[in-house]
Amino acid sequence: MVDLEKIISLCKRRGFIFQGSEQYCGLQGTWDYGPLGVELKNNVKRAWWRRVVYERDDMEGLDTSILMNRLVMKYSGHEDTFSDPMVDCRKCKKRFRADHIDANEKCAEGDKHDFTEPRPFNLMFKTVVGPVADESNVSYLRPETAQGIFINFKNVLDSTNRKLPFGIAQIGKSYRNEITPRNFIFRVREFEQMEIEFFVMPGDDEEWHKKWVDARYNWYVELGIKPENLRKYEQAKEELAHYAKATVDLLYRFFPDRADEDKQYDEVEGISNRTDFDLTCHTKGGKLVLNDGREIPNTHAINKLTYFDHKTNKHLLPYVIEPSAGVDRATLAFLMDSYCEETVNDSTRVVLKLNPELAPIKVAVLPLKKNNENIRNTALKVKNELMKKSGWRTVYDDTAGIGKLYRRQDEIGTPYCVTVDFDTLEDNSVTVRDRDTMAQERVKIEELQTYLSQKLGNV
Ligand code: GAP
């Protein structure tokens, strides 16, 4: 299996992902998506939205603000508890996450680090809203998209007349001042999440939790992740967050180089049964229960976030199942899982065998001879018409010989190349080459879109 270093190099070379602020030597924990990266990431998000919103009858979408009233983070518990234990080395002055310390790592100032006792470090980025920089104007860049969904529960319920069970999906940026961002886009300070809050009747929660674990696992596998690289990990009681009744993490094999097999796998998504914890925190007259048992009554919220159950004629707080995925981690998993090296005619062919739905470019149209005006113009016409009729990201490239052009498209995962040659000018047909099999077929230009539609499927 490919290691992270090869993926980082491919991403930089071909324009998937660049170091953030590279022009000024970078900003740690930030990455910029390039021309191909933005297409891939958008396709990951679209594939998620399609499966969890469009293809279901029990979901709505939402897009809430990154900046929220500070009280949202007070009553969600983030102000008090969204922290990691952190230690400082007294010798080299570096800061580490206490639970990420590598016992073998040497200190730059001597043999061993000399660590302080762990202390909590809040991961939220603080900012001020408006021109006056005082405590009353403090807000945060949201550390998760979930809270925007909880505080809009009643708005969505009232405006859609939904009945339980139903869910709300949201995709958006989240920010965490991670102590040790690392491993490329795996742990960063600015990232995107795809989150669902699925509201159910208390008592139905365990069944829905199982259904969502399966649905989310299947999503990755249907889009190409090999089952042997994806694990379901059920958190033990002592690992659970204090508000969670159960959590199953989906772990992808991000670190195949690690000697300990269990350490090769890390979280791409978590699916939690959060009971009625969040709606209880934010509802009028509700309360936040902190992990040390302290209770903070909610004296600010203006609406009850309850659901009226017509069967019992009672208002109740629904339970919630939360499948929460990272867009960047999912994108990395799809890149790693699709990467292949094959030997063809004594040379190495690098191919991204991405599912066509995720491939940044669906079709590349290539002229066999770029200095033949008829061939070039026909190729450009084929490209433009295909693009216009199908809406697929289609490109034209004439910057190298045909062999090299094929290899370049293989390396970025383009499922089909269409070549315009001398025969095209006579018979109005083109050669279509399949990325994975390298098989070539002659197709009439007027049948090209139908032919490719059948091959590409629902992209
Ligand atoms: N609302 C629940 C929640 O935010 P989480 O486990 O903290 O749960 C969910 O985050 C997902 O977000 C993770 O599984 C991961 O894919 C992604 N994620 C979290 N922190 C991240 C970071 N610093 N960099 C990249 N992705 C991150």
Side-chain angles (χ1 to χ4, degrees):
M1 200 184 156
V2 66
D3 62 34
L4 211 48
E5 289 312 312
K6 267 198 183 157
I7 293 293
I8 296 171
S9 153
L10 172 74
C11 284
K12 161 96 177 145
R13 188 161 36 84
R14 298 307 314 272
F16 281 92
I17 300 167
F18 310 121
Q19 169 71 62
S21 307
E22 190 186 276
Q23 180 71 351
Y24 293 96
C25 302
L27 176 67
Q28 216 196 357
T30 65
W31 294 88
D32 294 339
Y33 285 77
L36 295 175
V38 65
E39 298 289 347
L40 173 60
K41 189 156 83 132
N42 281 345
N43 292 342
V44 170
K45 291 188 277 184
R46 203 173 295 124
W48 182 86
W49 195 266
R50 180 187 265 178
R51 297 304 186 292
V52 307
V53 182
Y54 294 174
E55 292 182 7
R56 300 179 63 104
D57 298 318
D58 52 8
M59 292 287 299
E60 300 287 349
L62 198 64
D63 183 14
T64 67
S65 302
I66 289 170
L67 291 173
M68 289 180 277
N69 188 312
R70 179 181 191 168
L71 293 169
V72 177
M73 292 302 153
K74 171 182 162 74
Y75 287 116
S76 68
H78 283 83
E79 268 198 348
D80 280 304
T81 59
F82 194 62
S83 53
D84 278 337
M86 168 213 83
V87 292
D88 292 300
C89 171
R90 294 186 184 91
K91 285 192 211 154
C92 67
K93 311 289 181 220
K94 277 194 177 159
R95 184 163 282 182
F96 302 85
R97 236 175 96 166
D99 52 346
H100 280 181
I101 291 173
D102 176 356
N104 299 321
E105 192 181 295
K106 291 218 167 79
C107 171
E109 299 298 317
D111 223 23
K112 272 186 151 186
H113 287 292
D114 176 14
F115 289 126
T116 58
E117 283 302 303
R119 50 196 178 92
F121 171 75
N122 195 298
L123 298 179
M124 285 197 294
F125 282 102
K126 217 173 189 178
T127 187
V128 282
V129 177
V132 183
D134 66 19
E135 270 299 293
S136 66
N137 292 327
V138 161
S139 182
Y140 302 97
L141 301 187
R142 68 178 175 203
E144 59 174 19
T145 63
Q147 298 306 321
I149 302 182
F150 294 127
I151 59 169
N152 276 289
F153 171 71
K154 191 175 158 48
N155 282 335
V156 176
L157 189 64
D158 291 351
S159 56
T160 61
N161 288 317
R162 282 283 182 180
K163 301 278 172 280
L164 294 184
F166 78 96
I168 304 175
Q170 171 160 237
I171 299 177
K173 288 265 187 177
S174 294
Y175 299 82
R176 296 183 191 178
N177 199 1
E178 297 283 356
I179 299 161
T180 43
R182 59 177 148 185
N183 293 322
F184 193 34
I185 53 173
F186 178 81
R187 188 176 305 285
V188 285
R189 290 184 168 135
E190 172 172 331
F191 55 101
E192 271 186 282
Q193 290 183 308
M194 308 183 280
E195 295 200 293
I196 297 165
E197 304 303 336
F198 195 80
F199 301 98
V200 302
M201 290 294 284
D204 293 347
D205 50 308
E206 291 181 16
E207 188 191 335
W208 274 106
H209 187 228
K210 284 198 188 80
K211 283 187 189 167
W212 272 109
V213 170
D214 289 342
R216 295 302 308 136
Y217 178 90
N218 292 340
W219 181 81
Y220 291 95
V221 173
E222 278 161 21
L223 284 169
I225 298 288
K226 294 171 202 76
E228 63 267 29
N229 293 333
L230 190 65
R231 287 183 174 175
K232 290 178 192 166
Y233 173 76
E234 171 135 29
Q235 289 190 11
K237 277 247 159 350
E238 57 280 11
E239 292 173 280
L240 288 173
H242 76 289
Y243 48 75
K245 185 170 164 187
T247 296
V248 174
D249 290 328
L250 300 182
L251 310 181
Y252 180 72
R253 202 168 165 221
F254 286 110
F255 309 107
D257 284 353
R258 291 182 180 165
D260 178 345
E261 202 194 323
D262 283 342
K263 295 216 164 95
Q264 295 178 359
Y265 291 78
D266 213 327
E267 182 184 332
V268 62
E269 172 160 353
I271 302 122
S272 285
N273 179 347
R274 298 175 66 110
T275 70
D276 57 1
F277 175 84
D278 306 276
L279 292 180
T280 305
C281 295
H282 289 302
T283 195
K284 180 180 179 179
K287 64 177 184 221
L288 161 68
V289 182
L290 293 168
N291 48 5
D292 57 9
R294 271 182 299 146
E295 293 188 0
I296 302 181
N298 190 327
T299 52
H300 291 91
I302 59 168
N303 290 312
K304 287 259 183 211
L305 300 181
T306 49
Y307 172 82
F308 185 70
D309 179 21
H310 287 277
K311 275 199 201 137
T312 57
N313 269 346
K314 281 190 179 144
H315 291 274
L316 60 90
L317 285 166
Y319 272 27
V320 68
I321 308 301
E322 180 195 66
S324 172
V327 177
D328 310 79
R329 287 191 192 176
T331 302
L332 180 58
F334 288 121
L335 275 168
M336 292 182 72
D337 224 80
S338 63
Y339 183 96
C340 301
E341 285 181 11
E342 296 172 355
T343 306
V344 179
N345 299 333
D346 292 335
S347 71
T348 303
R349 177 175 94 112
V350 173
V351 202
L352 284 188
K353 293 193 173 173
L354 283 167
N355 183 306
E357 190 172 347
L358 301 181
I361 292 165
K362 311 300 181 201
V363 183
V365 183
L366 316 169
L368 191 69
K369 280 259 176 280
K370 75 167 171 182
N371 42 16
N372 181 307
E373 204 176 324
N374 283 343
I375 291 185
R376 206 177 59 232
N377 288 344
T378 307
L380 278 166
K381 194 162 164 244
V382 168
K383 181 253 158 190
N384 286 334
E385 281 180 5
L386 200 54
M387 168 80 233
K388 215 191 260 166
K389 280 199 233 153
S390 65
W392 305 322
R393 178 86 171 106
T394 310
V395 297
Y396 167 90
D397 191 4
D398 65 7
T399 55
I402 194 70
K404 209 167 190 182
L405 292 178
Y406 282 153
R407 289 285 188 275
R408 278 193 201 157
Q409 294 299 330
D410 291 343
E411 202 185 29
I412 62 169
T414 307
Y416 291 97
C417 287
V418 169
T419 307
V420 175
D421 55 23
F422 289 103
D423 289 343
T424 309
L425 306 178
E426 306 297 324
D427 64 4
N428 243 2
S429 297
V430 288
T431 301
V432 180
R433 173 186 177 272
D434 182 297
R435 174 195 69 197
D436 298 344
T437 62
M438 291 186 285
Q440 303 194 359
E441 225 177 306
R442 213 60 196 161
V443 179
K444 287 260 173 238
I445 292 178
E446 72 256 29
E447 290 161 14
L448 186 62
Q449 199 211 330
T450 313
Y451 173 90
L452 288 170
S453 286
Q454 282 163 1
K455 294 276 183 190
L456 287 167
N458 213 359
V459 297

PDB file of all heavy atoms in Angstrom, residues 144 146 176 178 186-188 191 193 195 267-269 322 324-326 329, ligand 1:
ATOM      1  N   GLU A 144     -16.669  22.672  15.308  1.00  0.00           N
ATOM      2  CA  GLU A 144     -17.432  21.599  14.650  1.00  0.00           C
ATOM      3  C   GLU A 144     -18.669  22.242  14.033  1.00  0.00           C
ATOM      4  O   GLU A 144     -19.104  23.300  14.471  1.00  0.00           O
ATOM      5  CB  GLU A 144     -17.833  20.507  15.646  1.00  0.00           C
ATOM      6  CG  GLU A 144     -18.681  21.021  16.803  1.00  0.00           C
ATOM      7  CD  GLU A 144     -19.203  19.917  17.719  1.00  0.00           C
ATOM      8  OE1 GLU A 144     -18.659  18.804  17.711  1.00  0.00           O
ATOM      9  OE2 GLU A 144     -20.189  20.184  18.435  1.00  0.00           O
ATOM     10  N   ALA A 146     -21.562  20.824  14.057  1.00  0.00           N
ATOM     11  CA  ALA A 146     -22.732  20.240  14.724  1.00  0.00           C
ATOM     12  C   ALA A 146     -23.582  21.258  15.488  1.00  0.00           C
ATOM     13  O   ALA A 146     -24.821  21.198  15.438  1.00  0.00           O
ATOM     14  CB  ALA A 146     -22.245  19.148  15.681  1.00  0.00           C
ATOM     15  N   ARG A 176      -9.684  24.165  14.612  1.00  0.00           N
ATOM     16  CA  ARG A 176      -9.182  23.725  15.921  1.00  0.00           C
ATOM     17  C   ARG A 176      -7.710  24.082  16.019  1.00  0.00           C
ATOM     18  O   ARG A 176      -6.945  23.757  15.097  1.00  0.00           O
ATOM     19  CB  ARG A 176      -9.356  22.213  16.106  1.00  0.00           C
ATOM     20  CG  ARG A 176     -10.798  21.807  16.116  1.00  0.00           C
ATOM     21  CD  ARG A 176     -11.002  20.323  16.364  1.00  0.00           C
ATOM     22  NE  ARG A 176     -12.406  20.007  16.101  1.00  0.00           N
ATOM     23  CZ  ARG A 176     -12.942  18.800  16.176  1.00  0.00           C
ATOM     24  NH1 ARG A 176     -12.184  17.783  16.529  1.00  0.00           N
ATOM     25  NH2 ARG A 176     -14.218  18.613  15.920  1.00  0.00           N
ATOM     26  N   GLU A 178      -5.064  22.874  16.926  1.00  0.00           N
ATOM     27  CA  GLU A 178      -4.408  21.618  17.291  1.00  0.00           C
ATOM     28  C   GLU A 178      -2.997  21.907  17.803  1.00  0.00           C
ATOM     29  O   GLU A 178      -2.264  22.694  17.198  1.00  0.00           O
ATOM     30  CB  GLU A 178      -4.314  20.691  16.068  1.00  0.00           C
ATOM     31  CG  GLU A 178      -5.636  20.240  15.499  1.00  0.00           C
ATOM     32  CD  GLU A 178      -6.294  19.138  16.318  1.00  0.00           C
ATOM     33  OE1 GLU A 178      -5.695  18.663  17.295  1.00  0.00           O
ATOM     34  OE2 GLU A 178      -7.429  18.752  15.951  1.00  0.00           O
ATOM     35  N   PHE A 186      -4.205  15.108   7.470  1.00  0.00           N
ATOM     36  CA  PHE A 186      -4.897  14.265   8.457  1.00  0.00           C
ATOM     37  C   PHE A 186      -5.279  15.068   9.695  1.00  0.00           C
ATOM     38  O   PHE A 186      -6.410  14.990  10.169  1.00  0.00           O
ATOM     39  CB  PHE A 186      -4.015  13.070   8.856  1.00  0.00           C
ATOM     40  CG  PHE A 186      -4.673  12.211   9.887  1.00  0.00           C
ATOM     41  CD1 PHE A 186      -5.624  11.280   9.514  1.00  0.00           C
ATOM     42  CD2 PHE A 186      -4.389  12.368  11.246  1.00  0.00           C
ATOM     43  CE1 PHE A 186      -6.272  10.508  10.471  1.00  0.00           C
ATOM     44  CE2 PHE A 186      -5.033  11.597  12.196  1.00  0.00           C
ATOM     45  CZ  PHE A 186      -5.980  10.669  11.811  1.00  0.00           C
ATOM     46  N   ARG A 187      -4.331  15.814  10.239  1.00  0.00           N
ATOM     47  CA  ARG A 187      -4.642  16.640  11.420  1.00  0.00           C
ATOM     48  C   ARG A 187      -4.219  18.066  11.131  1.00  0.00           C
ATOM     49  O   ARG A 187      -3.040  18.381  11.060  1.00  0.00           O
ATOM     50  CB  ARG A 187      -3.916  16.115  12.663  1.00  0.00           C
ATOM     51  CG  ARG A 187      -4.347  16.816  13.938  1.00  0.00           C
ATOM     52  CD  ARG A 187      -3.707  16.233  15.181  1.00  0.00           C
ATOM     53  NE  ARG A 187      -3.919  14.803  15.310  1.00  0.00           N
ATOM     54  CZ  ARG A 187      -5.066  14.228  15.671  1.00  0.00           C
ATOM     55  NH1 ARG A 187      -6.102  14.973  15.972  1.00  0.00           N
ATOM     56  NH2 ARG A 187      -5.171  12.906  15.723  1.00  0.00           N
ATOM     57  N   VAL A 188      -5.211  18.922  10.920  1.00  0.00           N
ATOM     58  CA  VAL A 188      -4.931  20.297  10.519  1.00  0.00           C
ATOM     59  C   VAL A 188      -5.707  21.257  11.415  1.00  0.00           C
ATOM     60  O   VAL A 188      -6.532  20.837  12.221  1.00  0.00           O
ATOM     61  CB  VAL A 188      -5.308  20.528   9.036  1.00  0.00           C
ATOM     62  CG1 VAL A 188      -4.302  19.892   8.117  1.00  0.00           C
ATOM     63  CG2 VAL A 188      -6.696  20.012   8.733  1.00  0.00           C
ATOM     64  N   PHE A 191     -10.211  22.772   8.675  1.00  0.00           N
ATOM     65  CA  PHE A 191     -10.625  21.592   7.910  1.00  0.00           C
ATOM     66  C   PHE A 191     -12.124  21.668   7.656  1.00  0.00           C
ATOM     67  O   PHE A 191     -12.798  22.591   8.106  1.00  0.00           O
ATOM     68  CB  PHE A 191     -10.254  20.300   8.646  1.00  0.00           C
ATOM     69  CG  PHE A 191     -10.787  20.212  10.050  1.00  0.00           C
ATOM     70  CD1 PHE A 191     -11.917  19.468  10.334  1.00  0.00           C
ATOM     71  CD2 PHE A 191     -10.163  20.873  11.087  1.00  0.00           C
ATOM     72  CE1 PHE A 191     -12.420  19.385  11.633  1.00  0.00           C
ATOM     73  CE2 PHE A 191     -10.655  20.798  12.392  1.00  0.00           C
ATOM     74  CZ  PHE A 191     -11.779  20.049  12.657  1.00  0.00           C
ATOM     75  N   GLN A 193     -15.881  19.545   7.656  1.00  0.00           N
ATOM     76  CA  GLN A 193     -16.607  18.382   8.179  1.00  0.00           C
ATOM     77  C   GLN A 193     -17.884  18.158   7.376  1.00  0.00           C
ATOM     78  O   GLN A 193     -18.442  19.100   6.805  1.00  0.00           O
ATOM     79  CB  GLN A 193     -16.986  18.607   9.642  1.00  0.00           C
ATOM     80  CG  GLN A 193     -15.787  18.596  10.585  1.00  0.00           C
ATOM     81  CD  GLN A 193     -16.211  18.739  12.028  1.00  0.00           C
ATOM     82  OE1 GLN A 193     -16.945  19.656  12.369  1.00  0.00           O
ATOM     83  NE2 GLN A 193     -15.760  17.828  12.881  1.00  0.00           N
ATOM     84  N   GLU A 195     -21.324  16.590   8.524  1.00  0.00           N
ATOM     85  CA  GLU A 195     -21.957  16.076   9.748  1.00  0.00           C
ATOM     86  C   GLU A 195     -23.462  15.915   9.572  1.00  0.00           C
ATOM     87  O   GLU A 195     -24.119  16.711   8.894  1.00  0.00           O
ATOM     88  CB  GLU A 195     -21.686  17.010  10.929  1.00  0.00           C
ATOM     89  CG  GLU A 195     -20.215  17.068  11.297  1.00  0.00           C
ATOM     90  CD  GLU A 195     -19.970  17.578  12.712  1.00  0.00           C
ATOM     91  OE1 GLU A 195     -20.245  18.766  12.952  1.00  0.00           O
ATOM     92  OE2 GLU A 195     -19.512  16.805  13.557  1.00  0.00           O
ATOM     93  N   GLU A 267      -8.904   7.446  12.706  1.00  0.00           N
ATOM     94  CA  GLU A 267     -10.311   7.826  12.475  1.00  0.00           C
ATOM     95  C   GLU A 267     -10.525   8.679  11.224  1.00  0.00           C
ATOM     96  O   GLU A 267      -9.873   9.684  11.017  1.00  0.00           O
ATOM     97  CB  GLU A 267     -10.783   8.608  13.700  1.00  0.00           C
ATOM     98  CG  GLU A 267     -12.223   9.020  13.641  1.00  0.00           C
ATOM     99  CD  GLU A 267     -12.633   9.870  14.835  1.00  0.00           C
ATOM    100  OE1 GLU A 267     -12.037   9.718  15.925  1.00  0.00           O
ATOM    101  OE2 GLU A 267     -13.538  10.702  14.660  1.00  0.00           O
ATOM    102  N   VAL A 268     -11.466   8.230  10.403  1.00  0.00           N
ATOM    103  CA  VAL A 268     -11.917   9.073   9.288  1.00  0.00           C
ATOM    104  C   VAL A 268     -13.308   9.619   9.618  1.00  0.00           C
ATOM    105  O   VAL A 268     -13.697  10.693   9.160  1.00  0.00           O
ATOM    106  CB  VAL A 268     -11.896   8.292   7.947  1.00  0.00           C
ATOM    107  CG1 VAL A 268     -12.827   7.101   7.935  1.00  0.00           C
ATOM    108  CG2 VAL A 268     -12.212   9.189   6.774  1.00  0.00           C
ATOM    109  N   GLU A 269     -14.050   8.899  10.458  1.00  0.00           N
ATOM    110  CA  GLU A 269     -15.412   9.317  10.813  1.00  0.00           C
ATOM    111  C   GLU A 269     -15.800   8.681  12.136  1.00  0.00           C
ATOM    112  O   GLU A 269     -15.382   7.554  12.443  1.00  0.00           O
ATOM    113  CB  GLU A 269     -16.385   8.864   9.701  1.00  0.00           C
ATOM    114  CG  GLU A 269     -17.841   9.074  10.037  1.00  0.00           C
ATOM    115  CD  GLU A 269     -18.757   9.094   8.809  1.00  0.00           C
ATOM    116  OE1 GLU A 269     -18.270   9.077   7.665  1.00  0.00           O
ATOM    117  OE2 GLU A 269     -19.985   9.153   9.026  1.00  0.00           O
ATOM    118  N   GLU A 322     -25.186  10.873  15.583  1.00  0.00           N
ATOM    119  CA  GLU A 322     -24.343  11.827  14.859  1.00  0.00           C
ATOM    120  C   GLU A 322     -23.227  11.135  14.060  1.00  0.00           C
ATOM    121  O   GLU A 322     -22.179  10.801  14.607  1.00  0.00           O
ATOM    122  CB  GLU A 322     -23.700  12.821  15.836  1.00  0.00           C
ATOM    123  CG  GLU A 322     -22.817  13.846  15.141  1.00  0.00           C
ATOM    124  CD  GLU A 322     -21.913  14.582  16.103  1.00  0.00           C
ATOM    125  OE1 GLU A 322     -21.019  13.956  16.682  1.00  0.00           O
ATOM    126  OE2 GLU A 322     -22.119  15.797  16.270  1.00  0.00           O
ATOM    127  N   SER A 324     -20.235  11.833  11.956  1.00  0.00           N
ATOM    128  CA  SER A 324     -19.432  13.037  11.744  1.00  0.00           C
ATOM    129  C   SER A 324     -18.136  12.673  11.021  1.00  0.00           C
ATOM    130  O   SER A 324     -17.274  11.982  11.567  1.00  0.00           O
ATOM    131  CB  SER A 324     -19.123  13.667  13.105  1.00  0.00           C
ATOM    132  OG  SER A 324     -18.205  14.717  12.948  1.00  0.00           O
ATOM    133  N   ALA A 325     -18.015  13.158   9.776  1.00  0.00           N
ATOM    134  CA  ALA A 325     -16.861  12.776   8.946  1.00  0.00           C
ATOM    135  C   ALA A 325     -16.011  13.993   8.611  1.00  0.00           C
ATOM    136  O   ALA A 325     -16.519  15.114   8.529  1.00  0.00           O
ATOM    137  CB  ALA A 325     -17.353  12.139   7.643  1.00  0.00           C
ATOM    138  N   GLY A 326     -14.721  13.768   8.397  1.00  0.00           N
ATOM    139  CA  GLY A 326     -13.832  14.835   7.963  1.00  0.00           C
ATOM    140  C   GLY A 326     -13.682  14.769   6.445  1.00  0.00           C
ATOM    141  O   GLY A 326     -13.359  13.712   5.900  1.00  0.00           O
ATOM    142  N   ARG A 329      -9.911  14.193   5.595  1.00  0.00           N
ATOM    143  CA  ARG A 329      -9.475  12.806   5.855  1.00  0.00           C
ATOM    144  C   ARG A 329     -10.098  11.845   4.847  1.00  0.00           C
ATOM    145  O   ARG A 329      -9.442  10.907   4.391  1.00  0.00           O
ATOM    146  CB  ARG A 329      -9.842  12.389   7.279  1.00  0.00           C
ATOM    147  CG  ARG A 329      -8.946  13.066   8.292  1.00  0.00           C
ATOM    148  CD  ARG A 329      -9.107  12.463   9.659  1.00  0.00           C
ATOM    149  NE  ARG A 329      -8.456  13.331  10.639  1.00  0.00           N
ATOM    150  CZ  ARG A 329      -8.476  13.132  11.942  1.00  0.00           C
ATOM    151  NH1 ARG A 329      -9.119  12.081  12.436  1.00  0.00           N
ATOM    152  NH2 ARG A 329      -7.857  13.962  12.770  1.00  0.00           N
TER     153      ARG A 329
HETATM  154  N1  GAP B   1     -19.314  16.803  16.115  1.00  0.00           N
HETATM  155  C1  GAP B   1     -18.459  15.722  16.460  1.00  0.00           C
HETATM  156  C2  GAP B   1     -17.081  15.942  16.069  1.00  0.00           C
HETATM  157  O1  GAP B   1     -16.686  17.002  15.635  1.00  0.00           O
HETATM  158  P1  GAP B   1     -14.755  14.736  15.980  1.00  0.00           P
HETATM  159  O2  GAP B   1     -14.406  13.280  16.150  1.00  0.00           O
HETATM  160  O3  GAP B   1     -14.023  15.713  16.854  1.00  0.00           O
HETATM  161  O4  GAP B   1     -16.312  14.807  16.216  1.00  0.00           O
HETATM  162  C3  GAP B   1     -15.256  14.472  13.437  1.00  0.00           C
HETATM  163  O5  GAP B   1     -14.578  15.150  14.461  1.00  0.00           O
HETATM  164  C4  GAP B   1     -14.351  14.237  12.244  1.00  0.00           C
HETATM  165  O6  GAP B   1     -13.750  15.473  11.857  1.00  0.00           O
HETATM  166  C5  GAP B   1     -13.182  13.300  12.546  1.00  0.00           C
HETATM  167  O7  GAP B   1     -13.540  11.939  12.383  1.00  0.00           O
HETATM  168  C6  GAP B   1     -12.177  13.730  11.491  1.00  0.00           C
HETATM  169  O8  GAP B   1     -12.444  13.098  10.253  1.00  0.00           O
HETATM  170  C7  GAP B   1     -12.456  15.224  11.344  1.00  0.00           C
HETATM  171  N2  GAP B   1     -11.456  16.007  12.114  1.00  0.00           N
HETATM  172  C8  GAP B   1     -11.477  16.314  13.420  1.00  0.00           C
HETATM  173  N3  GAP B   1     -10.403  17.040  13.755  1.00  0.00           N
HETATM  174  C9  GAP B   1      -9.673  17.189  12.633  1.00  0.00           C
HETATM  175  C10 GAP B   1      -8.433  17.854  12.329  1.00  0.00           C
HETATM  176  N4  GAP B   1      -7.759  18.539  13.234  1.00  0.00           N
HETATM  177  N5  GAP B   1      -7.972  17.790  11.052  1.00  0.00           N
HETATM  178  C11 GAP B   1      -8.659  17.121  10.095  1.00  0.00           C
HETATM  179  N6  GAP B   1      -9.835  16.498  10.330  1.00  0.00           N
HETATM  180  C12 GAP B   1     -10.333  16.528  11.583  1.00  0.00           C
END
